[in-house]
Amino acid sequence: MQIADVQDQIDHELVSKAQIEQKINEVAAQVSEDYRGKDPLLVAVLKGAVNTLAAFSQALSIPVQMDFMSLSSYGSGTTSSGTVTIRQDLSTDVRGRHILIVEDIVDSGRTLAWLVEELKRRGAASVEIFALLQKPSRREVDVDVKYQGYEIPDEFVVGFGLDYDERFRNLDSIAVLKPEVYQGE
Ligand SMILES: O=P(O)(O)OC[C@H]1O[C@H](OP(=O)(O)OP(=O)(O)O)[C@H](O)[C@@H]1O
Ligand code: HPA
Ligand SMILES: [Mg+2]
């Protein structure tokens, strides 16, 4: 789906499809170099990271394994509930594994701070993060994002996996919704 398809609900585009692709390719080249021979496990945080994982994993030039964890802290709103809930856990034993978490966005940092600690507690050999987007102005918890994508302003965004109330995940770029879409929240 493109912005033109939902024009009436979009205020403006923030990161284009081409910019997303360029950044993902850039990070994938670096990660391929850093993890060659390490048999890394990509851990994607559902549901938001699905689009990023698909594009990123295909852009890598090394073999990787992938697993998924479904976490939620936002529910149907635009602000974090502050509590991370596991909706679905990994099926891989992470003990001794080099893990690269793949995320769509670091906003307050609560989701990733929790996940990094959890994976270390389970015995991972190393845990690093690739996040396509970051909102530095909203950070509440310190998280070290080794592979960074774009920094964006303090606006609630949708597209390329990111949702508002489960909608707009299949938009092919990142955009800001018109304020009236949030009306009644
Ligand atoms: O840094 P934080 O403030 O914790 O926010 C980031 C998290 O919030 C979103 O997930 P959400 O809870 O909306 O679940 P979803 O991926 O299924 O939409 C996003 O995909 C990140 O996982
Ligand atoms: O800006 C956002 N959009 C969608 N989901 C999110 N989760 C954290 N921040 C965001
Ligand atoms: Mg969400």
Side-chain angles (χ1 to χ4, degrees), residues 14-33:
L14 212 52
V15 188
S16 71
K17 188 182 172 193
Q19 285 174 307
I20 294 172
E21 198 177 295
Q22 190 201 330
K23 183 63 75 179
I24 286 181
N25 288 342
E26 219 175 275
V27 174
Q30 186 62 51
V31 166
S32 299
E33 203 179 303

Side-chain angles (χ1 to χ4, degrees), residues 48 53 57 66 72 85 93 136:
L53 178 78
S57 60
M66 301 184 225
S72 182
T85 313
D93 181 356

Side-chain angles (χ1 to χ4, degrees), residues 74-75 163 166 169:
Y74 279 75
D163 71 306
E166 295 301 328
R169 290 195 199 272

